PDB file of all heavy atoms in Angstrom:
ATOM      1  N   PHE A   1      29.388  33.252  65.796  1.00 96.00           N
ATOM      2  CA  PHE A   1      28.011  33.356  66.274  1.00 96.00           C
ATOM      3  C   PHE A   1      27.803  32.715  67.640  1.00 96.00           C
ATOM      4  O   PHE A   1      26.790  32.078  67.906  1.00 96.00           O
ATOM      5  CB  PHE A   1      27.014  32.778  65.268  1.00 96.00           C
ATOM      6  CG  PHE A   1      27.023  33.478  63.946  1.00 96.00           C
ATOM      7  CD1 PHE A   1      27.510  32.847  62.814  1.00 96.00           C
ATOM      8  CD2 PHE A   1      26.566  34.774  63.831  1.00 96.00           C
ATOM      9  CE1 PHE A   1      27.540  33.486  61.591  1.00 96.00           C
ATOM     10  CE2 PHE A   1      26.581  35.426  62.604  1.00 96.00           C
ATOM     11  CZ  PHE A   1      27.068  34.776  61.481  1.00 96.00           C
ATOM     12  N   VAL A   2      28.761  32.877  68.534  1.00 97.00           N
ATOM     13  CA  VAL A   2      28.655  32.378  69.902  1.00 97.00           C
ATOM     14  C   VAL A   2      28.384  33.553  70.822  1.00 97.00           C
ATOM     15  O   VAL A   2      28.978  34.620  70.668  1.00 97.00           O
ATOM     16  CB  VAL A   2      29.960  31.657  70.329  1.00 97.00           C
ATOM     17  CG1 VAL A   2      29.980  31.384  71.827  1.00 97.00           C
ATOM     18  CG2 VAL A   2      30.117  30.356  69.549  1.00 97.00           C
ATOM     19  N   GLU A   3      27.490  33.354  71.794  1.00 97.00           N
ATOM     20  CA  GLU A   3      27.287  34.330  72.864  1.00 97.00           C
ATOM     21  C   GLU A   3      27.613  33.662  74.186  1.00 97.00           C
ATOM     22  O   GLU A   3      27.143  32.557  74.464  1.00 97.00           O
ATOM     23  CB  GLU A   3      25.862  34.856  72.904  1.00 97.00           C
ATOM     24  CG  GLU A   3      25.671  35.846  74.041  1.00 97.00           C
ATOM     25  CD  GLU A   3      24.386  36.650  73.984  1.00 97.00           C
ATOM     26  OE1 GLU A   3      23.853  36.859  72.883  1.00 97.00           O
ATOM     27  OE2 GLU A   3      23.915  37.059  75.057  1.00 97.00           O
ATOM     28  N   ILE A   4      28.420  34.363  74.996  1.00 98.00           N
ATOM     29  CA  ILE A   4      28.730  33.911  76.348  1.00 98.00           C
ATOM     30  C   ILE A   4      28.400  35.065  77.278  1.00 98.00           C
ATOM     31  O   ILE A   4      28.983  36.143  77.183  1.00 98.00           O
ATOM     32  CB  ILE A   4      30.204  33.482  76.496  1.00 98.00           C
ATOM     33  CG1 ILE A   4      30.536  32.389  75.466  1.00 98.00           C
ATOM     34  CG2 ILE A   4      30.456  32.983  77.919  1.00 98.00           C
ATOM     35  CD1 ILE A   4      31.985  31.965  75.456  1.00 98.00           C
ATOM     36  N   GLN A   5      27.457  34.841  78.190  1.00 97.00           N
ATOM     37  CA  GLN A   5      26.929  35.900  79.041  1.00 97.00           C
ATOM     38  C   GLN A   5      27.728  36.090  80.321  1.00 97.00           C
ATOM     39  O   GLN A   5      28.566  35.267  80.683  1.00 97.00           O
ATOM     40  CB  GLN A   5      25.476  35.596  79.405  1.00 97.00           C
ATOM     41  CG  GLN A   5      24.543  35.631  78.234  1.00 97.00           C
ATOM     42  CD  GLN A   5      23.100  35.483  78.660  1.00 97.00           C
ATOM     43  OE1 GLN A   5      22.785  34.759  79.607  1.00 97.00           O
ATOM     44  NE2 GLN A   5      22.216  36.168  77.958  1.00 97.00           N
ATOM     45  N   LYS A   6      27.390  37.155  81.010  1.00 97.00           N
ATOM     46  CA  LYS A   6      28.049  37.485  82.280  1.00 97.00           C
ATOM     47  C   LYS A   6      27.891  36.333  83.261  1.00 97.00           C
ATOM     48  O   LYS A   6      26.884  35.625  83.274  1.00 97.00           O
ATOM     49  CB  LYS A   6      27.463  38.761  82.878  1.00 97.00           C
ATOM     50  CG  LYS A   6      26.049  38.593  83.376  1.00 97.00           C
ATOM     51  CD  LYS A   6      25.541  39.836  84.044  1.00 97.00           C
ATOM     52  CE  LYS A   6      24.127  39.546  84.525  1.00 97.00           C
ATOM     53  NZ  LYS A   6      23.654  40.535  85.434  1.00 97.00           N
ATOM     54  N   GLY A   7      28.928  36.157  84.062  1.00 97.00           N
ATOM     55  CA  GLY A   7      28.892  35.123  85.089  1.00 97.00           C
ATOM     56  C   GLY A   7      29.211  33.733  84.594  1.00 97.00           C
ATOM     57  O   GLY A   7      29.373  32.817  85.393  1.00 97.00           O
ATOM     58  N   ALA A   8      29.302  33.521  83.284  1.00 98.00           N
ATOM     59  CA  ALA A   8      29.693  32.210  82.754  1.00 98.00           C
ATOM     60  C   ALA A   8      31.198  32.063  82.912  1.00 98.00           C
ATOM     61  O   ALA A   8      31.947  33.037  82.795  1.00 98.00           O
ATOM     62  CB  ALA A   8      29.285  32.074  81.294  1.00 98.00           C
ATOM     63  N   LYS A   9      31.649  30.830  83.171  1.00 98.00           N
ATOM     64  CA  LYS A   9      33.079  30.550  83.333  1.00 98.00           C
ATOM     65  C   LYS A   9      33.460  29.394  82.429  1.00 98.00           C
ATOM     66  O   LYS A   9      32.857  28.322  82.498  1.00 98.00           O
ATOM     67  CB  LYS A   9      33.396  30.218  84.790  1.00 98.00           C
ATOM     68  CG  LYS A   9      33.163  31.397  85.708  1.00 98.00           C
ATOM     69  CD  LYS A   9      33.509  31.070  87.142  1.00 98.00           C
ATOM     70  CE  LYS A   9      33.206  32.277  88.019  1.00 98.00           C
ATOM     71  NZ  LYS A   9      33.476  32.012  89.422  1.00 98.00           N
ATOM     72  N   ILE A  10      34.485  29.636  81.619  1.00 98.00           N
ATOM     73  CA  ILE A  10      34.961  28.641  80.667  1.00 98.00           C
ATOM     74  C   ILE A  10      36.376  28.248  81.084  1.00 98.00           C
ATOM     75  O   ILE A  10      37.241  29.110  81.228  1.00 98.00           O
ATOM     76  CB  ILE A  10      34.983  29.211  79.227  1.00 98.00           C
ATOM     77  CG1 ILE A  10      33.647  29.891  78.870  1.00 98.00           C
ATOM     78  CG2 ILE A  10      35.375  28.126  78.232  1.00 98.00           C
ATOM     79  CD1 ILE A  10      32.434  29.019  78.947  1.00 98.00           C
ATOM     80  N   GLY A  11      36.627  26.958  81.271  1.00 98.00           N
ATOM     81  CA  GLY A  11      37.939  26.476  81.696  1.00 98.00           C
ATOM     82  C   GLY A  11      38.960  26.511  80.574  1.00 98.00           C
ATOM     83  O   GLY A  11      38.712  27.031  79.484  1.00 98.00           O
ATOM     84  N   ASN A  12      40.101  25.933  80.824  1.00 98.00           N
ATOM     85  CA  ASN A  12      41.202  25.891  79.860  1.00 98.00           C
ATOM     86  C   ASN A  12      40.965  24.835  78.783  1.00 98.00           C
ATOM     87  O   ASN A  12      40.340  23.811  79.030  1.00 98.00           O
ATOM     88  CB  ASN A  12      42.513  25.570  80.577  1.00 98.00           C
ATOM     89  CG  ASN A  12      42.871  26.616  81.599  1.00 98.00           C
ATOM     90  OD1 ASN A  12      42.710  27.813  81.382  1.00 98.00           O
ATOM     91  ND2 ASN A  12      43.354  26.170  82.749  1.00 98.00           N
ATOM     92  N   ARG A  13      41.478  25.114  77.590  1.00 98.00           N
ATOM     93  CA  ARG A  13      41.476  24.178  76.459  1.00 98.00           C
ATOM     94  C   ARG A  13      40.085  23.679  76.089  1.00 98.00           C
ATOM     95  O   ARG A  13      39.907  22.523  75.707  1.00 98.00           O
ATOM     96  CB  ARG A  13      42.441  23.017  76.718  1.00 98.00           C
ATOM     97  CG  ARG A  13      43.885  23.467  76.863  1.00 98.00           C
ATOM     98  CD  ARG A  13      44.823  22.352  77.272  1.00 98.00           C
ATOM     99  NE  ARG A  13      44.405  21.639  78.478  1.00 98.00           N
ATOM    100  CZ  ARG A  13      44.515  22.104  79.718  1.00 98.00           C
ATOM    101  NH1 ARG A  13      45.041  23.292  79.941  1.00 98.00           N
ATOM    102  NH2 ARG A  13      44.119  21.386  80.755  1.00 98.00           N
ATOM    103  N   CYS A  14      39.100  24.545  76.186  1.00 98.00           N
ATOM    104  CA  CYS A  14      37.747  24.207  75.748  1.00 98.00           C
ATOM    105  C   CYS A  14      37.563  24.627  74.294  1.00 98.00           C
ATOM    106  O   CYS A  14      38.232  25.537  73.809  1.00 98.00           O
ATOM    107  CB  CYS A  14      36.707  24.931  76.599  1.00 98.00           C
ATOM    108  SG  CYS A  14      36.642  24.376  78.310  1.00 98.00           S
ATOM    109  N   LYS A  15      36.656  23.965  73.612  1.00 98.00           N
ATOM    110  CA  LYS A  15      36.287  24.354  72.261  1.00 98.00           C
ATOM    111  C   LYS A  15      34.788  24.567  72.234  1.00 98.00           C
ATOM    112  O   LYS A  15      34.018  23.656  72.573  1.00 98.00           O
ATOM    113  CB  LYS A  15      36.681  23.288  71.246  1.00 98.00           C
ATOM    114  CG  LYS A  15      36.335  23.718  69.834  1.00 98.00           C
ATOM    115  CD  LYS A  15      36.758  22.712  68.795  1.00 98.00           C
ATOM    116  CE  LYS A  15      36.354  23.220  67.432  1.00 98.00           C
ATOM    117  NZ  LYS A  15      36.567  22.201  66.397  1.00 98.00           N
ATOM    118  N   ILE A  16      34.391  25.772  71.833  1.00 98.00           N
ATOM    119  CA  ILE A  16      32.977  26.120  71.748  1.00 98.00           C
ATOM    120  C   ILE A  16      32.672  26.386  70.281  1.00 98.00           C
ATOM    121  O   ILE A  16      33.144  27.365  69.704  1.00 98.00           O
ATOM    122  CB  ILE A  16      32.657  27.337  72.624  1.00 98.00           C
ATOM    123  CG1 ILE A  16      33.056  27.029  74.074  1.00 98.00           C
ATOM    124  CG2 ILE A  16      31.187  27.717  72.500  1.00 98.00           C
ATOM    125  CD1 ILE A  16      33.059  28.218  74.990  1.00 98.00           C
ATOM    126  N   SER A  17      31.893  25.504  69.673  1.00 98.00           N
ATOM    127  CA  SER A  17      31.610  25.586  68.241  1.00 98.00           C
ATOM    128  C   SER A  17      30.562  26.651  67.936  1.00 98.00           C
ATOM    129  O   SER A  17      29.866  27.145  68.822  1.00 98.00           O
ATOM    130  CB  SER A  17      31.140  24.223  67.734  1.00 98.00           C
ATOM    131  OG  SER A  17      32.121  23.235  67.979  1.00 98.00           O
ATOM    132  N   SER A  18      30.438  26.959  66.667  1.00 98.00           N
ATOM    133  CA  SER A  18      29.591  28.065  66.204  1.00 98.00           C
ATOM    134  C   SER A  18      28.127  27.931  66.643  1.00 98.00           C
ATOM    135  O   SER A  18      27.630  26.839  66.890  1.00 98.00           O
ATOM    136  CB  SER A  18      29.647  28.165  64.688  1.00 98.00           C
ATOM    137  OG  SER A  18      29.023  27.059  64.089  1.00 98.00           O
ATOM    138  N   HIS A  19      27.484  29.078  66.726  1.00 98.00           N
ATOM    139  CA  HIS A  19      26.055  29.214  66.997  1.00 98.00           C
ATOM    140  C   HIS A  19      25.627  28.722  68.383  1.00 98.00           C
ATOM    141  O   HIS A  19      24.467  28.433  68.610  1.00 98.00           O
ATOM    142  CB  HIS A  19      25.221  28.515  65.928  1.00 98.00           C
ATOM    143  CG  HIS A  19      25.430  29.076  64.561  1.00 98.00           C
ATOM    144  ND1 HIS A  19      26.464  28.660  63.746  1.00 98.00           N
ATOM    145  CD2 HIS A  19      24.770  30.029  63.876  1.00 98.00           C
ATOM    146  CE1 HIS A  19      26.411  29.335  62.616  1.00 98.00           C
ATOM    147  NE2 HIS A  19      25.398  30.171  62.668  1.00 98.00           N
ATOM    148  N   SER A  20      26.554  28.631  69.317  1.00 98.00           N
ATOM    149  CA  SER A  20      26.214  28.149  70.662  1.00 98.00           C
ATOM    150  C   SER A  20      25.925  29.314  71.604  1.00 98.00           C
ATOM    151  O   SER A  20      26.417  30.422  71.416  1.00 98.00           O
ATOM    152  CB  SER A  20      27.335  27.277  71.216  1.00 98.00           C
ATOM    153  OG  SER A  20      27.395  26.067  70.493  1.00 98.00           O
ATOM    154  N   PHE A  21      25.113  29.030  72.629  1.00 98.00           N
ATOM    155  CA  PHE A  21      24.701  30.031  73.606  1.00 98.00           C
ATOM    156  C   PHE A  21      25.023  29.513  75.000  1.00 98.00           C
ATOM    157  O   PHE A  21      24.496  28.482  75.418  1.00 98.00           O
ATOM    158  CB  PHE A  21      23.190  30.290  73.482  1.00 98.00           C
ATOM    159  CG  PHE A  21      22.660  31.227  74.518  1.00 98.00           C
ATOM    160  CD1 PHE A  21      23.000  32.572  74.512  1.00 98.00           C
ATOM    161  CD2 PHE A  21      21.820  30.758  75.519  1.00 98.00           C
ATOM    162  CE1 PHE A  21      22.507  33.438  75.479  1.00 98.00           C
ATOM    163  CE2 PHE A  21      21.322  31.616  76.491  1.00 98.00           C
ATOM    164  CZ  PHE A  21      21.671  32.955  76.460  1.00 98.00           C
ATOM    165  N   ILE A  22      25.898  30.240  75.689  1.00 98.00           N
ATOM    166  CA  ILE A  22      26.289  29.873  77.046  1.00 98.00           C
ATOM    167  C   ILE A  22      25.847  31.014  77.957  1.00 98.00           C
ATOM    168  O   ILE A  22      26.416  32.107  77.933  1.00 98.00           O
ATOM    169  CB  ILE A  22      27.802  29.613  77.135  1.00 98.00           C
ATOM    170  CG1 ILE A  22      28.155  28.466  76.178  1.00 98.00           C
ATOM    171  CG2 ILE A  22      28.200  29.295  78.569  1.00 98.00           C
ATOM    172  CD1 ILE A  22      29.602  28.161  76.083  1.00 98.00           C
ATOM    173  N   CYS A  23      24.831  30.747  78.738  1.00 97.00           N
ATOM    174  CA  CYS A  23      24.210  31.807  79.527  1.00 97.00           C
ATOM    175  C   CYS A  23      24.816  31.931  80.915  1.00 97.00           C
ATOM    176  O   CYS A  23      25.633  31.106  81.347  1.00 97.00           O
ATOM    177  CB  CYS A  23      22.705  31.582  79.625  1.00 97.00           C
ATOM    178  SG  CYS A  23      22.240  29.986  80.291  1.00 97.00           S
ATOM    179  N   GLU A  24      24.390  32.960  81.597  1.00 97.00           N
ATOM    180  CA  GLU A  24      24.806  33.211  82.976  1.00 97.00           C
ATOM    181  C   GLU A  24      24.548  31.966  83.812  1.00 97.00           C
ATOM    182  O   GLU A  24      23.532  31.291  83.665  1.00 97.00           O
ATOM    183  CB  GLU A  24      24.008  34.392  83.535  1.00 97.00           C
ATOM    184  CG  GLU A  24      24.361  34.762  84.940  1.00 97.00           C
ATOM    185  CD  GLU A  24      23.612  35.982  85.447  1.00 97.00           C
ATOM    186  OE1 GLU A  24      22.892  36.623  84.666  1.00 97.00           O
ATOM    187  OE2 GLU A  24      23.747  36.276  86.644  1.00 97.00           O
ATOM    188  N   GLY A  25      25.506  31.632  84.690  1.00 97.00           N
ATOM    189  CA  GLY A  25      25.343  30.492  85.580  1.00 97.00           C
ATOM    190  C   GLY A  25      25.959  29.206  85.069  1.00 97.00           C
ATOM    191  O   GLY A  25      25.986  28.206  85.780  1.00 97.00           O
ATOM    192  N   VAL A  26      26.472  29.212  83.838  1.00 98.00           N
ATOM    193  CA  VAL A  26      27.075  28.004  83.270  1.00 98.00           C
ATOM    194  C   VAL A  26      28.566  28.011  83.562  1.00 98.00           C
ATOM    195  O   VAL A  26      29.246  29.011  83.361  1.00 98.00           O
ATOM    196  CB  VAL A  26      26.820  27.911  81.754  1.00 98.00           C
ATOM    197  CG1 VAL A  26      27.609  26.764  81.132  1.00 98.00           C
ATOM    198  CG2 VAL A  26      25.332  27.745  81.482  1.00 98.00           C
ATOM    199  N   MET A  27      29.076  26.860  84.016  1.00 98.00           N
ATOM    200  CA  MET A  27      30.507  26.696  84.222  1.00 98.00           C
ATOM    201  C   MET A  27      30.967  25.475  83.451  1.00 98.00           C
ATOM    202  O   MET A  27      30.430  24.376  83.636  1.00 98.00           O
ATOM    203  CB  MET A  27      30.844  26.512  85.692  1.00 98.00           C
ATOM    204  CG  MET A  27      32.319  26.334  85.926  1.00 98.00           C
ATOM    205  SD  MET A  27      32.685  26.151  87.680  1.00 98.00           S
ATOM    206  CE  MET A  27      34.431  25.822  87.593  1.00 98.00           C
ATOM    207  N   LEU A  28      31.953  25.686  82.567  1.00 98.00           N
ATOM    208  CA  LEU A  28      32.586  24.594  81.852  1.00 98.00           C
ATOM    209  C   LEU A  28      33.964  24.402  82.457  1.00 98.00           C
ATOM    210  O   LEU A  28      34.764  25.339  82.485  1.00 98.00           O
ATOM    211  CB  LEU A  28      32.749  24.920  80.363  1.00 98.00           C
ATOM    212  CG  LEU A  28      31.509  25.364  79.575  1.00 98.00           C
ATOM    213  CD1 LEU A  28      31.889  25.607  78.117  1.00 98.00           C
ATOM    214  CD2 LEU A  28      30.391  24.353  79.692  1.00 98.00           C
ATOM    215  N   GLU A  29      34.253  23.208  82.938  1.00 98.00           N
ATOM    216  CA  GLU A  29      35.589  22.928  83.445  1.00 98.00           C
ATOM    217  C   GLU A  29      36.541  22.755  82.257  1.00 98.00           C
ATOM    218  O   GLU A  29      36.157  22.936  81.103  1.00 98.00           O
ATOM    219  CB  GLU A  29      35.570  21.696  84.348  1.00 98.00           C
ATOM    220  CG  GLU A  29      34.837  21.949  85.657  1.00 98.00           C
ATOM    221  CD  GLU A  29      34.930  20.785  86.629  1.00 98.00           C
ATOM    222  OE1 GLU A  29      35.370  19.677  86.237  1.00 98.00           O
ATOM    223  OE2 GLU A  29      34.559  20.980  87.807  1.00 98.00           O
ATOM    224  N   ASP A  30      37.778  22.383  82.512  1.00 98.00           N
ATOM    225  CA  ASP A  30      38.794  22.254  81.469  1.00 98.00           C
ATOM    226  C   ASP A  30      38.446  21.168  80.454  1.00 98.00           C
ATOM    227  O   ASP A  30      37.821  20.160  80.783  1.00 98.00           O
ATOM    228  CB  ASP A  30      40.151  21.902  82.089  1.00 98.00           C
ATOM    229  CG  ASP A  30      40.697  23.002  82.987  1.00 98.00           C
ATOM    230  OD1 ASP A  30      40.206  24.147  82.906  1.00 98.00           O
ATOM    231  OD2 ASP A  30      41.616  22.705  83.769  1.00 98.00           O
ATOM    232  N   GLU A  31      38.885  21.407  79.200  1.00 98.00           N
ATOM    233  CA  GLU A  31      38.828  20.423  78.113  1.00 98.00           C
ATOM    234  C   GLU A  31      37.417  19.998  77.734  1.00 98.00           C
ATOM    235  O   GLU A  31      37.193  18.865  77.287  1.00 98.00           O
ATOM    236  CB  GLU A  31      39.698  19.205  78.453  1.00 98.00           C
ATOM    237  CG  GLU A  31      41.134  19.581  78.728  1.00 98.00           C
ATOM    238  CD  GLU A  31      41.958  18.462  79.334  1.00 98.00           C
ATOM    239  OE1 GLU A  31      41.455  17.326  79.463  1.00 98.00           O
ATOM    240  OE2 GLU A  31      43.118  18.730  79.694  1.00 98.00           O
ATOM    241  N   VAL A  32      36.469  20.890  77.861  1.00 98.00           N
ATOM    242  CA  VAL A  32      35.086  20.601  77.476  1.00 98.00           C
ATOM    243  C   VAL A  32      34.893  20.959  76.004  1.00 98.00           C
ATOM    244  O   VAL A  32      35.374  21.987  75.529  1.00 98.00           O
ATOM    245  CB  VAL A  32      34.101  21.390  78.365  1.00 98.00           C
ATOM    246  CG1 VAL A  32      32.677  21.329  77.810  1.00 98.00           C
ATOM    247  CG2 VAL A  32      34.146  20.863  79.792  1.00 98.00           C
ATOM    248  N   PHE A  33      34.172  20.098  75.287  1.00 98.00           N
ATOM    249  CA  PHE A  33      33.816  20.348  73.898  1.00 98.00           C
ATOM    250  C   PHE A  33      32.330  20.684  73.830  1.00 98.00           C
ATOM    251  O   PHE A  33      31.493  19.933  74.341  1.00 98.00           O
ATOM    252  CB  PHE A  33      34.096  19.111  73.026  1.00 98.00           C
ATOM    253  CG  PHE A  33      33.575  19.254  71.631  1.00 98.00           C
ATOM    254  CD1 PHE A  33      34.294  19.962  70.680  1.00 98.00           C
ATOM    255  CD2 PHE A  33      32.363  18.700  71.276  1.00 98.00           C
ATOM    256  CE1 PHE A  33      33.806  20.114  69.389  1.00 98.00           C
ATOM    257  CE2 PHE A  33      31.861  18.839  69.985  1.00 98.00           C
ATOM    258  CZ  PHE A  33      32.586  19.550  69.037  1.00 98.00           C
ATOM    259  N   ILE A  34      32.016  21.799  73.175  1.00 98.00           N
ATOM    260  CA  ILE A  34      30.634  22.216  72.939  1.00 98.00           C
ATOM    261  C   ILE A  34      30.419  22.216  71.435  1.00 98.00           C
ATOM    262  O   ILE A  34      31.066  22.972  70.700  1.00 98.00           O
ATOM    263  CB  ILE A  34      30.360  23.632  73.517  1.00 98.00           C
ATOM    264  CG1 ILE A  34      30.649  23.681  75.021  1.00 98.00           C
ATOM    265  CG2 ILE A  34      28.938  24.072  73.197  1.00 98.00           C
ATOM    266  CD1 ILE A  34      29.751  22.817  75.878  1.00 98.00           C
ATOM    267  N   GLY A  35      29.529  21.365  70.947  1.00 98.00           N
ATOM    268  CA  GLY A  35      29.251  21.275  69.514  1.00 98.00           C
ATOM    269  C   GLY A  35      28.492  22.489  69.007  1.00 98.00           C
ATOM    270  O   GLY A  35      28.187  23.430  69.742  1.00 98.00           O
ATOM    271  N   HIS A  36      28.166  22.464  67.732  1.00 98.00           N
ATOM    272  CA  HIS A  36      27.450  23.563  67.092  1.00 98.00           C
ATOM    273  C   HIS A  36      26.025  23.683  67.632  1.00 98.00           C
ATOM    274  O   HIS A  36      25.363  22.680  67.910  1.00 98.00           O
ATOM    275  CB  HIS A  36      27.385  23.335  65.577  1.00 98.00           C
ATOM    276  CG  HIS A  36      28.736  23.237  64.952  1.00 98.00           C
ATOM    277  ND1 HIS A  36      29.497  24.334  64.637  1.00 98.00           N
ATOM    278  CD2 HIS A  36      29.477  22.158  64.602  1.00 98.00           C
ATOM    279  CE1 HIS A  36      30.637  23.944  64.112  1.00 98.00           C
ATOM    280  NE2 HIS A  36      30.654  22.622  64.080  1.00 98.00           N
ATOM    281  N   ASN A  37      25.589  24.916  67.814  1.00 98.00           N
ATOM    282  CA  ASN A  37      24.187  25.212  68.159  1.00 98.00           C
ATOM    283  C   ASN A  37      23.745  24.613  69.496  1.00 98.00           C
ATOM    284  O   ASN A  37      22.592  24.257  69.674  1.00 98.00           O
ATOM    285  CB  ASN A  37      23.271  24.729  67.026  1.00 98.00           C
ATOM    286  CG  ASN A  37      21.879  25.294  67.147  1.00 98.00           C
ATOM    287  OD1 ASN A  37      21.692  26.461  67.471  1.00 98.00           O
ATOM    288  ND2 ASN A  37      20.878  24.463  66.906  1.00 98.00           N
ATOM    289  N   VAL A  38      24.651  24.519  70.453  1.00 98.00           N
ATOM    290  CA  VAL A  38      24.294  24.034  71.792  1.00 98.00           C
ATOM    291  C   VAL A  38      23.702  25.193  72.583  1.00 98.00           C
ATOM    292  O   VAL A  38      24.201  26.322  72.521  1.00 98.00           O
ATOM    293  CB  VAL A  38      25.529  23.443  72.512  1.00 98.00           C
ATOM    294  CG1 VAL A  38      25.239  23.170  73.980  1.00 98.00           C
ATOM    295  CG2 VAL A  38      25.975  22.167  71.796  1.00 98.00           C
ATOM    296  N   THR A  39      22.643  24.901  73.333  1.00 98.00           N
ATOM    297  CA  THR A  39      21.963  25.927  74.118  1.00 98.00           C
ATOM    298  C   THR A  39      21.867  25.501  75.577  1.00 98.00           C
ATOM    299  O   THR A  39      21.449  24.381  75.873  1.00 98.00           O
ATOM    300  CB  THR A  39      20.533  26.168  73.578  1.00 98.00           C
ATOM    301  OG1 THR A  39      20.627  26.565  72.205  1.00 98.00           O
ATOM    302  CG2 THR A  39      19.811  27.240  74.370  1.00 98.00           C
ATOM    303  N   PHE A  40      22.249  26.407  76.449  1.00 98.00           N
ATOM    304  CA  PHE A  40      22.074  26.224  77.888  1.00 98.00           C
ATOM    305  C   PHE A  40      20.918  27.097  78.345  1.00 98.00           C
ATOM    306  O   PHE A  40      20.679  28.171  77.791  1.00 98.00           O
ATOM    307  CB  PHE A  40      23.346  26.633  78.645  1.00 98.00           C
ATOM    308  CG  PHE A  40      24.487  25.691  78.442  1.00 98.00           C
ATOM    309  CD1 PHE A  40      25.343  25.822  77.360  1.00 98.00           C
ATOM    310  CD2 PHE A  40      24.716  24.655  79.338  1.00 98.00           C
ATOM    311  CE1 PHE A  40      26.412  24.951  77.169  1.00 98.00           C
ATOM    312  CE2 PHE A  40      25.786  23.778  79.162  1.00 98.00           C
ATOM    313  CZ  PHE A  40      26.622  23.927  78.070  1.00 98.00           C
ATOM    314  N   ILE A  41      20.225  26.646  79.380  1.00 97.00           N
ATOM    315  CA  ILE A  41      19.093  27.389  79.946  1.00 97.00           C
ATOM    316  C   ILE A  41      19.389  27.619  81.420  1.00 97.00           C
ATOM    317  O   ILE A  41      19.913  26.735  82.092  1.00 97.00           O
ATOM    318  CB  ILE A  41      17.790  26.583  79.753  1.00 97.00           C
ATOM    319  CG1 ILE A  41      17.497  26.437  78.257  1.00 97.00           C
ATOM    320  CG2 ILE A  41      16.631  27.229  80.487  1.00 97.00           C
ATOM    321  CD1 ILE A  41      16.396  25.480  77.933  1.00 97.00           C
TER     322      ILE A  41
END
C-alpha cells in the first residue's frame, strides 16, 4: 500500500514501510527509513 509519484527519487538501501505516500518532489538519499503511514506534502 505504498504510492510513489512521478519525479520522486529514492536512493539505495532505503526501506519504505506500508501505507506510505511519497509525492512528486520528494528525494530520499541512501539508507533512509520511512515508517508506516508516512505522508509527504
Side-chain angles (χ1 to χ4, degrees):
F1 299 110
V2 168
E3 179 167 333
I4 304 176
Q5 294 187 325
K6 70 176 181 167
K9 295 181 182 178
I10 311 301
N12 299 319
R13 298 174 306 285
C14 292
K15 182 178 179 188
I16 302 168
S17 301
S18 68
H19 299 85
S20 291
F21 176 69
I22 300 176
C23 56
E24 181 177 354
V26 172
M27 180 179 175
L28 307 181
E29 291 186 348
D30 295 344
E31 303 168 5
V32 169
F33 172 81
I34 302 295
H36 301 279
N37 194 41
V38 170
T39 301
F40 289 86
I41 296 170

